[in-house]
PDB file of all heavy atoms in Angstrom:
ATOM      1  N   GLU A 174     -30.569 -34.641 133.053  1.00  0.00           N
ATOM      2  CA  GLU A 174     -31.669 -35.201 132.303  1.00  0.00           C
ATOM      3  C   GLU A 174     -31.225 -36.456 131.568  1.00  0.00           C
ATOM      4  O   GLU A 174     -30.069 -36.556 131.079  1.00  0.00           O
ATOM      5  CB  GLU A 174     -32.302 -34.166 131.368  1.00  0.00           C
ATOM      6  CG  GLU A 174     -33.579 -34.608 130.782  1.00  0.00           C
ATOM      7  CD  GLU A 174     -34.462 -33.458 130.294  1.00  0.00           C
ATOM      8  OE1 GLU A 174     -34.103 -32.246 130.558  1.00  0.00           O
ATOM      9  OE2 GLU A 174     -35.456 -33.722 129.678  1.00  0.00           O
ATOM     10  N   ASP A 175     -32.155 -37.371 131.370  1.00  0.00           N
ATOM     11  CA  ASP A 175     -31.881 -38.644 130.765  1.00  0.00           C
ATOM     12  C   ASP A 175     -31.272 -38.526 129.347  1.00  0.00           C
ATOM     13  O   ASP A 175     -30.359 -39.194 129.020  1.00  0.00           O
ATOM     14  CB  ASP A 175     -33.163 -39.461 130.730  1.00  0.00           C
ATOM     15  CG  ASP A 175     -32.920 -40.865 130.104  1.00  0.00           C
ATOM     16  OD1 ASP A 175     -32.238 -41.722 130.718  1.00  0.00           O
ATOM     17  OD2 ASP A 175     -33.449 -41.142 128.997  1.00  0.00           O
ATOM     18  N   ALA A 176     -31.902 -37.707 128.541  1.00  0.00           N
ATOM     19  CA  ALA A 176     -31.462 -37.592 127.122  1.00  0.00           C
ATOM     20  C   ALA A 176     -31.292 -36.133 126.756  1.00  0.00           C
ATOM     21  O   ALA A 176     -32.016 -35.220 127.191  1.00  0.00           O
ATOM     22  CB  ALA A 176     -32.487 -38.237 126.245  1.00  0.00           C
ATOM     23  N   MET A 177     -30.306 -35.893 125.857  1.00  0.00           N
ATOM     24  CA  MET A 177     -30.068 -34.540 125.317  1.00  0.00           C
ATOM     25  C   MET A 177     -30.303 -34.539 123.827  1.00  0.00           C
ATOM     26  O   MET A 177     -29.679 -35.257 123.061  1.00  0.00           O
ATOM     27  CB  MET A 177     -28.599 -34.132 125.602  1.00  0.00           C
ATOM     28  CG  MET A 177     -28.246 -34.025 127.079  1.00  0.00           C
ATOM     29  SD  MET A 177     -29.176 -32.780 127.955  1.00  0.00           S
ATOM     30  CE  MET A 177     -28.609 -33.077 129.647  1.00  0.00           C
ATOM     31  N   VAL A 178     -31.310 -33.768 123.435  1.00  0.00           N
ATOM     32  CA  VAL A 178     -31.766 -33.735 122.032  1.00  0.00           C
ATOM     33  C   VAL A 178     -30.717 -32.940 121.192  1.00  0.00           C
ATOM     34  O   VAL A 178     -30.112 -32.015 121.662  1.00  0.00           O
ATOM     35  CB  VAL A 178     -33.147 -33.040 121.946  1.00  0.00           C
ATOM     36  CG1 VAL A 178     -33.563 -32.790 120.472  1.00  0.00           C
ATOM     37  CG2 VAL A 178     -34.222 -33.862 122.610  1.00  0.00           C
ATOM     38  N   PHE A 179     -30.572 -33.369 119.925  1.00  0.00           N
ATOM     39  CA  PHE A 179     -29.751 -32.639 118.978  1.00  0.00           C
ATOM     40  C   PHE A 179     -30.543 -32.431 117.684  1.00  0.00           C
ATOM     41  O   PHE A 179     -31.492 -33.267 117.414  1.00  0.00           O
ATOM     42  CB  PHE A 179     -28.450 -33.282 118.782  1.00  0.00           C
ATOM     43  CG  PHE A 179     -28.486 -34.587 118.044  1.00  0.00           C
ATOM     44  CD1 PHE A 179     -28.299 -34.610 116.627  1.00  0.00           C
ATOM     45  CD2 PHE A 179     -28.686 -35.764 118.713  1.00  0.00           C
ATOM     46  CE1 PHE A 179     -28.355 -35.808 116.000  1.00  0.00           C
ATOM     47  CE2 PHE A 179     -28.749 -36.976 118.060  1.00  0.00           C
ATOM     48  CZ  PHE A 179     -28.570 -36.992 116.684  1.00  0.00           C
ATOM     49  N   LYS A 180     -30.235 -31.453 116.934  1.00  0.00           N
ATOM     50  CA  LYS A 180     -30.898 -31.250 115.665  1.00  0.00           C
ATOM     51  C   LYS A 180     -29.938 -30.642 114.627  1.00  0.00           C
ATOM     52  O   LYS A 180     -28.794 -30.320 114.957  1.00  0.00           O
ATOM     53  CB  LYS A 180     -32.095 -30.324 115.810  1.00  0.00           C
ATOM     54  CG  LYS A 180     -31.712 -28.955 116.406  1.00  0.00           C
ATOM     55  CD  LYS A 180     -32.860 -27.937 116.452  1.00  0.00           C
ATOM     56  CE  LYS A 180     -33.258 -27.518 115.032  1.00  0.00           C
ATOM     57  NZ  LYS A 180     -34.274 -26.442 115.010  1.00  0.00           N
ATOM     58  N   ASP A 181     -30.406 -30.547 113.409  1.00  0.00           N
ATOM     59  CA  ASP A 181     -29.599 -29.937 112.343  1.00  0.00           C
ATOM     60  C   ASP A 181     -29.680 -28.418 112.524  1.00  0.00           C
ATOM     61  O   ASP A 181     -30.786 -27.844 112.550  1.00  0.00           O
ATOM     62  CB  ASP A 181     -30.122 -30.321 110.971  1.00  0.00           C
ATOM     63  CG  ASP A 181     -29.884 -31.775 110.647  1.00  0.00           C
ATOM     64  OD1 ASP A 181     -28.855 -32.322 111.122  1.00  0.00           O
ATOM     65  OD2 ASP A 181     -30.683 -32.377 109.950  1.00  0.00           O
ATOM     66  N   GLY A 182     -28.526 -27.775 112.655  1.00  0.00           N
ATOM     67  CA  GLY A 182     -28.483 -26.337 112.786  1.00  0.00           C
ATOM     68  C   GLY A 182     -27.671 -25.685 111.671  1.00  0.00           C
ATOM     69  O   GLY A 182     -27.366 -26.337 110.614  1.00  0.00           O
ATOM     70  N   VAL A 183     -27.300 -24.450 111.887  1.00  0.00           N
ATOM     71  CA  VAL A 183     -26.580 -23.708 110.873  1.00  0.00           C
ATOM     72  C   VAL A 183     -25.323 -23.110 111.495  1.00  0.00           C
ATOM     73  O   VAL A 183     -25.414 -22.441 112.558  1.00  0.00           O
ATOM     74  CB  VAL A 183     -27.385 -22.592 110.243  1.00  0.00           C
ATOM     75  CG1 VAL A 183     -26.590 -21.781 109.244  1.00  0.00           C
ATOM     76  CG2 VAL A 183     -28.626 -23.203 109.542  1.00  0.00           C
ATOM     77  N   ALA A 184     -24.182 -23.298 110.931  1.00  0.00           N
ATOM     78  CA  ALA A 184     -22.942 -22.719 111.379  1.00  0.00           C
ATOM     79  C   ALA A 184     -22.351 -21.786 110.258  1.00  0.00           C
ATOM     80  O   ALA A 184     -22.856 -21.831 109.066  1.00  0.00           O
ATOM     81  CB  ALA A 184     -21.893 -23.801 111.660  1.00  0.00           C
ATOM     82  N   GLY A 185     -21.445 -20.907 110.672  1.00  0.00           N
ATOM     83  CA  GLY A 185     -20.786 -20.105 109.686  1.00  0.00           C
ATOM     84  C   GLY A 185     -21.419 -18.798 109.353  1.00  0.00           C
ATOM     85  O   GLY A 185     -20.972 -18.064 108.448  1.00  0.00           O
ATOM     86  N   GLY A 186     -22.521 -18.395 110.036  1.00  0.00           N
ATOM     87  CA  GLY A 186     -22.963 -17.044 109.934  1.00  0.00           C
ATOM     88  C   GLY A 186     -21.861 -16.121 110.357  1.00  0.00           C
ATOM     89  O   GLY A 186     -21.192 -16.372 111.326  1.00  0.00           O
ATOM     90  N   ASN A 187     -21.659 -15.069 109.595  1.00  0.00           N
ATOM     91  CA  ASN A 187     -20.495 -14.193 109.938  1.00  0.00           C
ATOM     92  C   ASN A 187     -20.651 -12.814 109.362  1.00  0.00           C
ATOM     93  O   ASN A 187     -21.426 -12.623 108.431  1.00  0.00           O
ATOM     94  CB  ASN A 187     -19.193 -14.813 109.443  1.00  0.00           C
ATOM     95  CG  ASN A 187     -19.060 -14.762 107.918  1.00  0.00           C
ATOM     96  OD1 ASN A 187     -18.568 -13.743 107.349  1.00  0.00           O
ATOM     97  ND2 ASN A 187     -19.484 -15.844 107.225  1.00  0.00           N
ATOM     98  N   PHE A 188     -19.873 -11.911 109.861  1.00  0.00           N
ATOM     99  CA  PHE A 188     -19.706 -10.567 109.214  1.00  0.00           C
ATOM    100  C   PHE A 188     -18.419  -9.975 109.682  1.00  0.00           C
ATOM    101  O   PHE A 188     -17.850 -10.307 110.751  1.00  0.00           O
ATOM    102  CB  PHE A 188     -20.895  -9.625 109.473  1.00  0.00           C
ATOM    103  CG  PHE A 188     -21.173  -9.312 110.951  1.00  0.00           C
ATOM    104  CD1 PHE A 188     -20.611  -8.247 111.588  1.00  0.00           C
ATOM    105  CD2 PHE A 188     -22.066 -10.147 111.672  1.00  0.00           C
ATOM    106  CE1 PHE A 188     -20.885  -7.923 112.877  1.00  0.00           C
ATOM    107  CE2 PHE A 188     -22.363  -9.867 112.998  1.00  0.00           C
ATOM    108  CZ  PHE A 188     -21.785  -8.793 113.604  1.00  0.00           C
ATOM    109  N   PHE A 189     -17.866  -9.101 108.878  1.00  0.00           N
ATOM    110  CA  PHE A 189     -16.602  -8.430 109.075  1.00  0.00           C
ATOM    111  C   PHE A 189     -16.856  -7.002 109.562  1.00  0.00           C
ATOM    112  O   PHE A 189     -17.728  -6.293 108.945  1.00  0.00           O
ATOM    113  CB  PHE A 189     -15.741  -8.387 107.851  1.00  0.00           C
ATOM    114  CG  PHE A 189     -15.312  -9.703 107.251  1.00  0.00           C
ATOM    115  CD1 PHE A 189     -15.054  -9.834 105.903  1.00  0.00           C
ATOM    116  CD2 PHE A 189     -15.160 -10.813 108.085  1.00  0.00           C
ATOM    117  CE1 PHE A 189     -14.701 -11.091 105.387  1.00  0.00           C
ATOM    118  CE2 PHE A 189     -14.781 -12.010 107.606  1.00  0.00           C
ATOM    119  CZ  PHE A 189     -14.540 -12.154 106.237  1.00  0.00           C
ATOM    120  N   ILE A 190     -16.152  -6.557 110.540  1.00  0.00           N
ATOM    121  CA  ILE A 190     -16.253  -5.153 111.037  1.00  0.00           C
ATOM    122  C   ILE A 190     -14.915  -4.508 110.616  1.00  0.00           C
ATOM    123  O   ILE A 190     -13.866  -4.905 111.105  1.00  0.00           O
ATOM    124  CB  ILE A 190     -16.448  -5.114 112.534  1.00  0.00           C
ATOM    125  CG1 ILE A 190     -17.772  -5.772 112.922  1.00  0.00           C
ATOM    126  CG2 ILE A 190     -16.430  -3.647 112.969  1.00  0.00           C
ATOM    127  CD1 ILE A 190     -17.958  -5.895 114.404  1.00  0.00           C
ATOM    128  N   MET A 191     -14.982  -3.535 109.693  1.00  0.00           N
ATOM    129  CA  MET A 191     -13.772  -2.834 109.235  1.00  0.00           C
ATOM    130  C   MET A 191     -13.866  -1.391 109.813  1.00  0.00           C
ATOM    131  O   MET A 191     -14.791  -0.696 109.625  1.00  0.00           O
ATOM    132  CB  MET A 191     -13.747  -2.790 107.753  1.00  0.00           C
ATOM    133  CG  MET A 191     -13.534  -4.188 107.140  1.00  0.00           C
ATOM    134  SD  MET A 191     -13.691  -4.227 105.323  1.00  0.00           S
ATOM    135  CE  MET A 191     -15.236  -5.063 105.127  1.00  0.00           C
ATOM    136  N   ALA A 192     -12.779  -1.019 110.542  1.00  0.00           N
ATOM    137  CA  ALA A 192     -12.771   0.262 111.227  1.00  0.00           C
ATOM    138  C   ALA A 192     -11.432   1.018 110.976  1.00  0.00           C
ATOM    139  O   ALA A 192     -10.487   0.512 110.360  1.00  0.00           O
ATOM    140  CB  ALA A 192     -12.990   0.037 112.712  1.00  0.00           C
ATOM    141  N   ASP A 193     -11.426   2.240 111.512  1.00  0.00           N
ATOM    142  CA  ASP A 193     -10.235   3.090 111.315  1.00  0.00           C
ATOM    143  C   ASP A 193      -9.053   2.745 112.206  1.00  0.00           C
ATOM    144  O   ASP A 193      -7.973   3.257 112.042  1.00  0.00           O
ATOM    145  CB  ASP A 193     -10.571   4.574 111.447  1.00  0.00           C
ATOM    146  CG  ASP A 193     -11.149   4.927 112.805  1.00  0.00           C
ATOM    147  OD1 ASP A 193     -11.123   4.046 113.698  1.00  0.00           O
ATOM    148  OD2 ASP A 193     -11.653   6.040 112.988  1.00  0.00           O
ATOM    149  N   SER A 194      -9.297   1.832 113.202  1.00  0.00           N
ATOM    150  CA  SER A 194      -8.230   1.421 114.108  1.00  0.00           C
ATOM    151  C   SER A 194      -8.575   0.046 114.713  1.00  0.00           C
ATOM    152  O   SER A 194      -9.729  -0.343 114.675  1.00  0.00           O
ATOM    153  CB  SER A 194      -7.959   2.451 115.214  1.00  0.00           C
ATOM    154  OG  SER A 194      -9.017   2.426 116.119  1.00  0.00           O
TER     155      SER A 194
END
Side-chain angles (χ1 to χ4, degrees):
E174 192 157 351
D175 181 68
M177 298 296 176
V178 172
F179 69 95
K180 60 173 288 187
D181 292 328
V183 177
N187 72 85
F188 58 92
F189 298 151
I190 300 172
M191 293 171 253
D193 58 10
S194 70

